[in-house]
Amino acid sequence: MSHSTDVSSDSAHNGAWYCLFVCWLIAATSTFGSLFFSEVMLIPPCVLCWYQRIPMYAMLVIFSVALFPLDRKVTRYALPLAVIGWLFAFYHLLIYSGVIPEAMQPCGAEVSCAKIDLELIGFITIPLMSVVAFSLMIGLLFMISRGFKK
């Protein structure tokens, strides 16, 4: 009987670790992708891009620390950051889509939040990639906090 408890505990531990590792991969890809866009492709980040980068960069550090050894309490710190980042990314996506009027846009004259600098396959924009990244991390963090109990 204790053997089956150990196996389920091990699989819960492994499932939580893999979810956290995927979160780390998403944060690392997003961090280095944002740096590639701004430093290599010379696409200047707007104000909302910076507001999305701040939680993403912080989560990369948090996930790196929480992986070894696995810290299931990482959701306490990472989930609020992911939600904040998602809100900024979604607002930015609404600006890109033309839903938010120009009077409500926080960006200055130097770098416009509404200017489409990159569009992959005709519809994938930087804010869309950000919304997807934050959404995936939020889902995975919920799985860690709710789905993999000991």
Side-chain angles (χ1 to χ4, degrees):
M1 198 164 232
S2 72
H3 177 69
S4 68
T5 306
D6 292 343
V7 171
S8 66
S9 177
D10 284 345
S11 73
H13 178 80
N14 289 340
W17 191 89
Y18 287 126
C19 285
L20 186 57
F21 180 71
V22 172
C23 284
W24 180 86
L25 280 176
I26 294 167
T29 302
S30 299
T31 296
F32 294 119
S34 73
L35 292 172
F36 177 80
F37 290 147
S38 62
E39 301 303 318
V40 176
M41 293 182 67
L42 302 176
I43 299 172
C46 69
V47 171
L48 289 175
C49 288
W50 276 113
Y51 290 162
Q52 293 164 63
R53 286 178 180 203
I54 292 166
M56 188 64 73
Y57 292 0
M59 285 190 300
L60 178 59
V61 174
I62 290 169
F63 294 147
S64 297
V65 172
L67 276 171
F68 302 104
L70 174 65
D71 180 7
R72 291 173 188 263
K73 293 181 183 177
V74 68
T75 56
R76 289 183 184 178
Y77 314 108
L79 194 54
L81 288 172
V83 170
I84 290 167
W86 185 90
L87 290 170
F88 280 114
F90 187 70
Y91 183 69
H92 197 183
L93 186 62
L94 292 176
I95 289 174
Y96 255 47
S97 303
V99 175
I100 304 291
E102 191 172 330
M104 294 179 64
Q105 295 178 10
C107 297
E110 303 113 30
V111 182
S112 170
C113 291
K115 182 180 174 206
I116 298 175
D117 292 316
L118 179 74
E119 201 170 47
L120 304 170
I121 317 173
F123 72 95
I124 301 173
T125 60
I126 294 172
L128 179 61
M129 288 187 276
S130 186
V131 166
V132 169
F134 282 117
S135 296
L136 289 171
M137 286 190 290
I138 289 168
L140 290 165
L141 288 168
F142 269 118
M143 286 176 65
I144 292 168
S145 68
R146 303 273 188 248
F148 298 107
K149 299 289 182 187
K150 282 187 179 181

